[in-house]
Amino acid sequence: MSSKRPIVAAVIPARMAASRFPGKPLVPILGLPMIEHVRRRVELIDAVDQVWVATCDEEIRQLVEKNGGKVIMTADSHERATDRIEEASHQIEADVIINVQGDEPMVSALGLEQVIAPFFSNPEVQSTCLVYPITDHSDLGSLNIVKCVLSRSNRILYLSRAAIPGKALDPKFTYYKQSGIMAYRREFLHRYKNLAPTPLESKESVDILRILEHDYWVQGVLSEEETKGVDVPEQVAMLEAAILSDPKQKALFER
């Protein structure tokens, strides 16, 4: 890559037919639809040059465009968010594309800055994923949380909805989980699209496993500033309380 600063676009994939939480993008959080929480926060981040919502649903398009956002309509056949983003990327002029999941209403500037940093320093990096240390060991038992195992250089070795690594909990061991924030070089997204879906990807329902099973690598990026996603309806009230009780989060919401 040349010394010229890469153009960075954030794409927020969203659909109404989410299996665990249908209609999730339009669910109100403190009176504002979830998709708008995510989009507006990303719009505030200086490291991002463009922000797009990628969706197959007219309700989402109308809401986002009514509020001044940009939307790319995609096919309704995508099972993976990465495939939806890849389709949208054909209409985007950018070097690096961040996948910001539409259920990350507490997304922060630090997280996005961290997930794109490796692309500036290492031309071999094709994809990255923000990961967090697990501080609450009850997370290990949740199938909604994707756990990951890292190499010594923080490359991702494996991801699973099961409690990994090991058979029994070791309180002294540091466990990690995947966030809803990943990034790709635009050309690598097109390569991803041409990779056949894989057995582990299907078994775990985790996009990144397609990359690993085809012998590519993903750079894990450790962050201590964890953002809270929403997987099930019961988490909405907890997330609202978390926003209001954290001065930084409350200030971002009020902006």
Side-chain angles (χ1 to χ4, degrees):
M1 181 179 290
S2 70
S3 59
K4 182 181 177 181
R5 179 191 179 279
I7 298 173
V8 177
V11 180
I12 305 165
R15 61 177 183 143
M16 296 295 288
S19 58
R20 288 172 292 174
F21 194 168
K24 180 164 61 171
L26 302 189
V27 167
I29 295 176
L30 298 173
L32 186 67
M34 186 181 306
I35 189 66
E36 277 296 293
H37 271 273
V38 180
R39 184 190 68 80
R40 295 183 193 193
R41 285 202 176 205
V42 179
E43 291 272 12
L44 294 173
I45 297 172
D46 292 337
V48 177
D49 301 300
Q50 309 170 32
V51 181
W52 300 86
V53 172
T55 187
C56 57
D57 294 300
E58 184 65 19
E59 305 100 303
I60 296 174
R61 183 191 70 79
Q62 289 181 8
L63 173 73
V64 172
E65 290 185 344
K66 177 182 177 182
N67 285 281
K70 296 186 293 186
V71 177
I72 295 175
M73 297 301 291
T74 56
D76 63 2
S77 55
H78 295 306
E79 293 187 15
R80 300 279 176 254
T82 309
D83 289 316
R84 189 178 306 283
I85 289 171
E86 191 279 333
E87 181 186 346
S89 72
H90 288 272
Q91 300 184 47
I92 298 171
E93 291 296 327
D95 303 298
V96 175
I97 294 178
I98 310 173
N99 170 357
V100 182
Q101 295 286 7
D103 56 6
E104 289 276 341
M106 294 176 71
V107 61
S108 71
L110 177 63
L112 268 59
E113 290 165 359
Q114 290 175 319
V115 84
I116 63 174
F119 295 100
F120 292 73
S121 60
N122 185 350
E124 294 185 359
V125 172
Q126 299 297 315
S127 58
T128 62
C129 180
L130 203 66
V131 300
Y132 307 125
I134 291 178
T135 56
D136 181 351
H137 286 148
S138 67
D139 286 352
L140 291 168
S142 172
L143 296 180
N144 293 322
I145 294 173
V146 177
K147 279 67 72 174
C148 58
V149 179
L150 305 174
S151 74
R152 294 182 68 178
S153 60
N154 289 336
R155 292 186 182 184
I156 293 179
L157 298 175
Y158 190 65
L159 306 99
S160 178
R161 296 185 183 276
I164 58 170
K167 300 178 189 177
L169 172 65
D170 179 354
K172 297 180 181 179
F173 188 86
T174 303
Y175 298 86
Y176 298 100
K177 59 184 173 182
Q178 178 190 12
S179 75
I181 301 171
M182 292 142 276
Y184 308 88
R185 293 196 194 275
R186 186 170 181 267
E187 297 81 3
F188 187 76
L189 267 179
H190 301 327
R191 192 180 305 169
Y192 177 95
K193 175 64 177 177
N194 291 322
L195 299 175
T198 56
L200 292 175
E201 170 197 7
S202 176
K203 179 71 173 174
E204 298 277 12
S205 189
V206 174
D207 299 31
I208 286 177
L209 286 172
R210 185 188 305 182
I211 299 173
L212 301 185
E213 285 186 85
H214 281 281
D215 296 320
Y216 295 99
W217 55 276
V218 178
Q219 182 64 52
V221 180
L222 287 175
S223 178
E224 298 293 334
E225 188 173 284
E226 180 181 349
T227 60
K228 302 291 185 182
V230 177
D231 296 304
V232 293
E234 294 75 20
Q235 292 176 318
V236 171
M238 291 187 293
L239 190 136
E240 289 179 324
I243 291 174
L244 293 178
S245 64
D246 183 319
K248 181 178 178 180
Q249 288 291 333
K250 186 178 181 181
L252 281 170
F253 170 67
E254 290 172 348
R255 287 180 67 186

